[in-house]
Amino acid sequence: MLTKMKLAGFASIAALTLTFTNSPAAAECVMGSIPLYDPFAPYKEPGSIIHKDSGFIFPASIAGFSRECEMTTDFSGNNFEIGYLRDYQDHEIEIKIAIVHLAELNAEDHYKIIRPDMISHYSNPTVVSEGDYFVSGRPDIAAYQGIFDGDKDGVPWHFSATALDYGYWDARLIASYPQEIDAAAQEAIMELITAFQWQTPTAGHTQEAMP
């Protein structure tokens, strides 16, 4: 039987999923390079956005990807998402990275709750694989991943969701791209994961604690 804390965690992530999908303002991006008010400053390097509550850094560009958002309009410290894009042969590889706090939920719980909403955006989704995911070089991180095929506007599509459990903080990475660039996209995504894997979101992190 689920504990009250775990039920509360499920309710939190369900609300989080609805925030991203049903409220456009919550995930709206402000595009462009002009200076913008950023509540997650100070910057670690020019152009980086820092989630002040966890210390997680989102560079303007990383591993060939460019950050999709200068900032988001959802400033909740426990609910923060940034997108990245990379062009490949006139196609886009899209990545969404979220940092969230979920009480009493492991990586598999996290994944299973966001799964229905994720696959609802595609026609004829089919499971390629689902299960525990090993983050190379980070045996301390428990992770769970699902990979799918489907159609998007009549085009064969490939998409995946990876949930990671850091303890107090959880993260997820959702990847989406046309199936015809699958091999190149998977290589690009691994480069992105490798570039980010040194980071560990920290509980109790404050803006004043940044060096």
Side-chain angles (χ1 to χ4, degrees), residues 8 15 21 45 49 51 158 172 177 200:
T21 57
E45 61 185 40
I49 289 176
H51 178 222
H158 200 76
R172 71 169 172 269
Y177 52 86
T200 299

Side-chain angles (χ1 to χ4, degrees), residues 19-36:
T19 297
F20 286 141
T21 57
N22 294 344
S23 176
E28 183 180 351
C29 298
V30 180
M31 303 296 291
S33 58
I34 61 172
L36 295 168

Side-chain angles (χ1 to χ4, degrees), residues 39-62:
F40 302 102
Y43 294 114
K44 188 102 173 176
E45 61 185 40
S48 289
I49 289 176
I50 300 173
H51 178 222
K52 67 180 181 61
D53 290 339
S54 70
F56 202 87
I57 303 165
F58 295 89
S61 60
I62 183 169

